[in-house]
Amino acid sequence: MIEKVDPILAESGWKKIEWVRLCMPVLSALEARFEKEKPLAGLRVSVSVHLEAKTANLCLLLRTAGAEVAVTGCNPLSTQDDVAHALAARGFRVAARHGASMEEYHEHLCETLSIRPHVMVDDGGDFTAILHGEHPEYAECLIGGCEETTTGIRRLEAREKAGALSFPMFAVNDANSKHLFDNRYGTGQSVWDAIMHMTNMVVAGKNVVVAGYGFCGKGIAMRAKGLGARVIVTEVDPFCALEANMDGFRVMKMDDAAPLGDIFVSATGCCDVIVGRHYDVMRDGALISNAGHFDVEANKPDLEARAVEVCERKPGIICYRMANGRCLNLLADGRLVNLAGGNGHPAEIMDMSFGIQALCVEKMAKEGRSLANKLYDVPPEIDREVARLKVEAEGLGLDVLTPEQEAYLAGYEG
Ligand code: NAD
Ligand code: SAH
């Protein structure tokens, strides 16, 4: 836990937090209500989400709602220390450090759960794993939790199917207000923001290989095209492959794409998408990056095994020199490039994702005791409420169905 706050870091972090808050109108609207109603009064909430400025605003909102909040990151490379210190300076229990070792990262997760939360917010399933394995006692007061990302939800589904889920969870990722915007437009923008910032290279004219054409992959490919890249998509799902084809991208096997790509971005949630035989045929100077869960999409042991020399070219860019002199550059250690090498999704996007999170925490606190130990969809009224608040904040005009139109749409004649 951060016990000694660095005031200079804390000041820099607080400026970031206040800046992004300007673009988070959904959270501001909820803040006004939570301030009055205090729906989380007397409850403890543990949060494990990439610890940066937008997440800090979620934590502040949960505290405004009356909760005692403990927070850590969900990836050892995405924590921004100044933001962590800014929260610690304001009395939050913060256990996180940028660049923590895996052991330290794990300790931070455990420490954050040791408050014995009533509700927890997870991103990727690390909290869930600890509460079911190493420290079930930390779940003694737990009503339930909320999961932020696709891979975390796949794991909860597997756990539920095996009858091994011991508390209710909301599948926040699957809400429309989350994945349609966060996974697609958020990842689409922040991946390129990070890659361009890290490499200072042009994207136009490059061959970009996007592995996985799900919500994240669609956003990454769309923005690469907009930046002037020639985009190739690899997939395992025939529908997604057809969609990519009709969206105007070349679709091929990774075996065929590997020798063509200048920049690789994986977004599959799967392991071993890029392996040894692909490294063997990649171009000199190829950039390899990942936007999916964890650091397993590009196989690192295969890369290391082939390298005759490994050196850091620039912070976050490791060059693996092959025996024939080719240099393959791995960005952000193969972890989520947009978060480990950048600021993650923009504020306007996280405004919606965290609006859903905050409302689901409230719902879990109020009604979770009557739920079974299952994975639940986000209630549609919460999803619509966040979309409605966002539409209002964006000043978009929405037509309203007339009673005649409603009757027409509901009928089967005419
Ligand atoms: P998704 O399920 O919509 O899409 C994944 C796609 O990858 C699917 O179409 C699937 O067919 C394809 N795929 C699976 N294995 C593959 C393989 N071996 N080769 C090629 N394609 C393969 O999921 P999503 O919402 O797009 O999320 C993808 C990953 O990104 C998940 O791990 C998720 O947790 C993570 N995510 C990251 C961010 C971020 O900020 N970087 C944001 C949201 C989600
Ligand atoms: N622990 C896993 C989690 C995958 S993270 C890992 O580190 O590999 C993917 C999630 O990060 C997405 O679902 C998205 O909602 C979230 N995210 C993206 N940008 C973010 C940001 N700026 N702040 C907090 N979370 C962010």
Side-chain angles (χ1 to χ4, degrees):
M1 188 169 132
I2 298 178
E3 268 154 16
K4 198 167 172 311
V5 171
D6 178 329
I8 296 175
L9 275 182
E11 193 192 337
S12 143
W14 188 246
K15 283 186 177 151
K16 286 184 181 175
I17 294 168
E18 289 200 304
W19 172 254
V20 297
R21 198 203 322 255
L22 297 173
C23 298
M24 304 188 86
V26 173
L27 294 198
S28 300
L30 296 179
E31 187 182 21
R33 179 166 73 75
F34 284 4
E35 177 74 61
K36 256 194 282 159
E37 298 176 6
K38 299 284 177 200
L40 303 178
L43 300 183
R44 294 182 296 278
V45 178
S46 295
V47 176
S48 163
V49 178
H50 301 286
L51 187 41
E52 54 76 67
K54 280 81 84 182
T55 304
N57 278 298
L58 171 66
C59 294
L60 286 159
L61 177 63
L62 296 173
R63 184 156 81 175
T64 299
E68 176 192 332
V69 181
V71 56
T72 185
C74 67
N75 182 309
L77 287 186
S78 62
T79 296
Q80 298 194 8
D81 288 330
D82 53 357
V83 172
H85 279 253
L87 285 179
R90 280 155 187 84
F92 286 87
R93 285 177 67 112
V94 184
R97 187 178 70 79
H98 179 84
S101 66
M102 283 315 281
E103 293 72 36
E104 208 184 337
Y105 168 70
H106 184 75
E107 272 170 32
H108 290 154
L109 289 163
C110 293
E111 228 176 306
T112 308
L113 287 172
S114 70
I115 65 164
R116 290 168 160 74
H118 295 95
V119 183
M120 62 88 165
V121 177
D122 205 358
D123 183 343
D126 288 346
F127 264 2
T128 302
I130 291 171
L131 292 171
H132 283 88
E134 199 181 339
H135 287 295
E137 75 280 11
Y138 291 163
E140 67 189 13
C141 301
L142 193 73
I143 304 168
C146 309
E147 170 54 56
E148 170 82 1
T149 202
T150 317
T151 292
I153 285 168
R154 295 289 97 80
R155 291 181 176 176
L156 285 168
E157 284 165 352
R159 208 177 265 283
E160 183 184 354
K161 199 167 159 205
L165 182 60
S166 35
F167 40 79
M169 290 289 291
F170 279 126
V172 167
N173 179 78
D174 294 355
N176 288 331
S177 294
K178 202 281 186 183
H179 69 277
L180 291 180
F181 306 96
D182 174 310
N183 301 34
R184 186 163 38 177
Y185 302 103
T187 315
Q189 174 166 323
S190 61
V191 157
W192 292 109
D193 174 24
I195 292 176
M196 290 190 289
H197 184 71
M198 288 176 88
T199 64
N200 203 8
M201 285 164 69
V202 73
V203 178
K206 296 270 184 352
N207 288 335
V208 166
V209 178
V210 178
Y213 202 67
F215 285 97
C216 293
K218 286 184 176 69
I220 296 165
M222 171 175 51
R223 293 304 183 230
K225 183 179 179 180
L227 287 164
R230 287 182 291 269
V231 181
I232 296 168
V233 168
T234 73
E235 251 297 342
V236 293
D237 178 275
F239 300 107
C240 295
L242 286 170
E243 262 188 297
N245 188 42
M246 297 231 176
D247 285 341
F249 302 120
R250 293 177 73 192
V251 179
M252 60 181 81
K253 291 182 174 181
M254 183 57 85
D255 284 351
D256 299 319
L260 305 178
D262 298 303
I263 306 176
F264 293 81
V265 189
S266 55
T268 68
C270 184
C271 60
D272 297 333
V273 177
I274 304 176
V275 294
R277 67 178 186 280
H278 303 130
Y279 299 132
D280 289 340
V281 296
M282 279 186 189
R283 292 178 173 183
D284 180 33
L287 303 175
I288 302 161
S289 65
N290 169 46
H293 185 82
F294 282 161
D295 55 351
V296 295
E297 301 212 10
N299 185 303
K300 287 197 286 187
D302 280 4
L303 195 50
E304 278 152 15
R306 283 164 169 73
V308 291
E309 190 195 339
V310 179
C311 66
E312 188 182 51
R313 282 247 164 126
K314 205 174 168 275
I317 306 181
I318 305 287
C319 162
Y320 292 80
R321 195 169 299 285
M322 304 287 111
N324 64 2
R326 282 174 311 128
C327 176
L328 305 183
N329 298 298
L330 182 65
L331 305 190
D333 203 29
R335 292 186 181 273
L336 301 155
V337 69
N338 57 328
L339 282 143
N343 289 310
H345 298 355
E348 294 90 334
I349 298 279
M350 295 318 294
D351 188 33
M352 296 179 78
S353 304
F354 288 160
I356 298 275
Q357 282 287 7
L359 289 171
C360 283
V361 169
E362 181 189 28
K363 186 86 172 173
M364 189 58 80
K366 272 194 193 146
E367 296 172 23
R369 287 191 176 87
S370 62
L371 297 177
N373 294 341
K374 285 172 50 180
L375 178 63
Y376 286 88
D377 284 340
V378 169
E381 65 275 11
I382 288 185
D383 207 356
R384 287 193 78 78
E385 171 68 356
V386 168
R388 189 191 64 76
L389 287 170
K390 197 68 176 178
V391 163
E392 207 174 280
E394 295 283 332
L396 308 179
L398 267 193
D399 285 331
V400 178
L401 290 173
T402 62
E404 292 74 21
Q405 287 173 319
E406 280 191 21
Y408 178 80
L409 290 174
Y412 58 87
E413 280 177 345

